[in-house]
Amino acid sequence: MRLLHTSDWHLGRAFHRVNMLDAQAEFVRHVVTTVRERGVDVVVVSGDVYDRAVPPLAAVELFDDALHRLADLGVPTMMISGNHDSARRLGVGAGLIGRAGIHLRTDPAACGTPVVLSDTHGDVAFYGLPYLEPALVKDEFMVEQAGHEAVLTAAMDRVRADLATRAPGTRSVVLAHVFVTGGESSDSERDITVGGVAAVPAGVFDGVDYVALGHLHGSQTLGERIRYSGSPLAYSFSEAGHRKSMWLVDLGGDGSVTAERLDCPVPRPLARIRGRLEGLLEDPELARHEEAWVEATLTDPVRPAEPMARLAERFPHTLSLVFEPERAPEEPGASYARRLEGRSDQEIAEDFVAHVRGSGPDERERLVLQDAFDAARADAAVREVAR
């Protein structure tokens, strides 16, 4: 059985205020063409179909167009909700849409209920694990501690229990939206840290033939049977080095897996350039970036006059301008943003406590802070769904 594994479409998302809807529509057309030309049997979309819980109308219309195009191909499609989606909104009409071969899996309670498809070798059970916000699903999965590993383990226990009841030789595919240990993140993914821990070990998915992951925007392989497809488009300059692609996966009759990376259309390349303004304007090596979307980091000791306008004369698609003046490493004038770069909310809060009272929080206080951040995240998720 041949699968096309993709994820993280983020329909409705802009790139530094550039509307990406046309590029997203081109990607949908590319998916349809690939399915037709490469003999794909099943399309899997591993979450973050939309960029936010209440997407703009144009994004909903594009999703509707994608559903019609995929249904017209007569090729089954499996989709799950991600942490950017509203699971309840995305799942509206799932039963009816399923009759057209588009299977939306957004209900955590249905993790152990697969979509069963068949080929000449027998059945393949597809299990959809939508994004599982631990604080919201811990009661459903009867876990005492609300953490990603606990709820994912409980969900996979249901998958393995169902698989054990099926005919010998039944193959299995799991779609999941999660941060798995060993994956490389980028700046454009929403933080899903809970209790100070964001990642779950790959061993959680033991016992299935292929795991189609979503959430991380870089295409990557965590094992022969566990892969991220990554987002089809770049959504931050941290993805400038990504090769945007999908996985074409062949699942053999014996459960063996072979995979091929298929490139996605690139609307415009990304470039990150750094240096003093005059050097960036004169360097002949930078000519290759003149038609790219550019993030320029200026290192001039003194902020130059009209830097964006001057950059745009050579690099007309400059979208981001960052100032990092050349200073001694210990110079106290470093910006607040620079000092916070790469630090989690938990670390920032602990530093604040240490600054105010002269000593950092003890273990009990760290747990109080963790609980507060987890509760805030869960509350934000509930409010987003209720909007």
Side-chain angles (χ1 to χ4, degrees):
M1 185 171 288
R2 174 163 284 187
L3 323 176
L4 184 64
H5 168 198
T6 180
S7 72
D8 295 273
W9 293 5
H10 288 280
L11 299 181
R13 186 164 185 160
F15 180 71
H16 286 267
R17 299 178 299 281
V18 174
N19 189 316
M20 297 293 284
L21 206 65
D22 287 345
Q24 291 169 338
E26 177 60 27
F27 167 69
V28 169
R29 290 190 288 270
H30 176 66
V31 168
V32 171
T33 299
T34 301
V35 170
R36 184 185 300 115
E37 294 181 352
R38 298 302 299 267
V40 171
D41 299 307
V42 186
V43 177
V44 298
V45 185
S46 299
D48 282 353
V49 175
Y50 290 121
D51 188 56
R52 57 180 187 263
V54 185
L57 179 59
V60 177
E61 290 174 339
L62 178 55
F63 179 60
D64 180 66
D65 179 63
L67 294 184
H68 278 85
R69 287 172 178 267
L70 291 169
D72 287 345
L73 291 172
V75 174
T77 298
M78 182 92 170
M79 294 183 172
I80 60 172
S81 50
N83 60 302
H84 280 250
D85 299 308
S86 165
R88 294 182 64 181
R89 284 188 174 87
L90 187 64
V92 168
L96 186 61
I97 295 171
R99 298 180 186 177
I102 308 293
H103 305 283
L104 300 175
R105 288 296 182 267
T106 63
D107 182 4
C111 284
T113 304
V115 174
V116 180
L117 304 173
S118 301
D119 62 10
T120 56
H121 301 287
D123 289 344
V124 181
F126 288 79
Y127 298 89
L129 277 58
Y131 172 67
L132 303 174
E133 175 60 47
L136 302 183
V137 301
K138 64 183 181 67
D139 292 338
E140 166 63 34
F141 292 106
M142 295 180 289
V143 297
E144 294 182 5
Q145 197 165 8
H148 286 291
E149 184 173 353
V151 296
L152 259 294
T153 298
M156 282 301 301
D157 285 344
R158 293 189 184 183
V159 168
R160 285 183 282 263
D162 178 84
L163 194 55
T165 68
R166 301 197 172 270
T170 298
R171 290 156 291 159
S172 53
V173 175
V174 167
L175 287 69
H177 196 87
V178 64
F179 189 168
V180 175
T181 302
E184 295 184 7
S185 60
S186 60
D187 293 344
S188 54
E189 298 131 5
R190 184 181 295 170
D191 181 29
I192 59 172
T193 302
V194 172
V197 179
V200 302
V204 165
F205 297 103
D206 285 350
V208 297
D209 293 306
Y210 185 71
V211 182
L213 294 175
H215 178 58
L216 299 184
H217 287 186
S219 178
Q220 47 204 294
T221 300
L222 302 184
E224 179 190 359
R225 301 178 182 278
I226 305 178
R227 288 180 170 84
Y228 281 100
S229 68
S231 62
L233 297 166
Y235 293 115
S236 74
F237 277 102
S238 66
E239 300 171 53
H242 287 188
R243 172 188 166 193
K244 294 302 182 182
S245 55
M246 307 176 289
W247 287 110
L248 188 68
V249 178
D250 286 318
L251 185 62
D254 59 354
S256 60
V257 171
T258 57
E260 176 187 355
R261 281 183 76 178
L262 305 180
D263 291 328
C264 295
V266 178
R268 191 179 295 278
L270 307 186
R272 304 179 97 171
I273 59 177
R274 180 185 181 89
R276 297 192 179 196
L277 179 58
E278 292 301 331
L280 298 181
L281 296 178
E282 297 172 1
D283 188 350
E285 291 295 317
L286 299 181
R288 66 187 188 279
H289 299 316
E290 290 175 357
E291 294 304 316
W293 279 320
V294 169
E295 178 184 73
T297 299
L298 300 185
T299 60
D300 301 71
V302 177
R303 183 175 180 134
E306 300 183 335
M308 181 61 92
R310 295 170 66 189
L311 280 167
E313 291 179 3
R314 183 179 188 188
F315 307 102
H317 305 288
T318 301
L319 300 181
S320 175
L321 186 58
V322 181
F323 291 96
E324 292 186 3
E326 296 167 349
R327 292 190 178 99
E330 290 80 20
E331 187 170 342
S335 71
Y336 182 67
R338 285 280 306 281
R339 285 184 278 124
L340 296 185
E341 187 175 352
R343 300 181 68 76
S344 68
D345 291 342
Q346 176 86 15
E347 291 170 329
I348 294 168
E350 291 180 11
D351 287 349
F352 177 75
V353 172
H355 173 74
V356 169
R357 74 180 187 191
S359 63
D362 59 26
E363 187 59 31
R364 182 185 63 81
E365 291 168 332
R366 288 191 182 93
L367 292 175
V368 170
L369 287 170
Q370 281 186 3
D371 289 344
F373 282 120
D374 292 348
R377 182 178 289 101
D379 180 65
V382 170
R383 285 187 284 106
E384 202 166 62
V385 170
R387 285 172 61 188

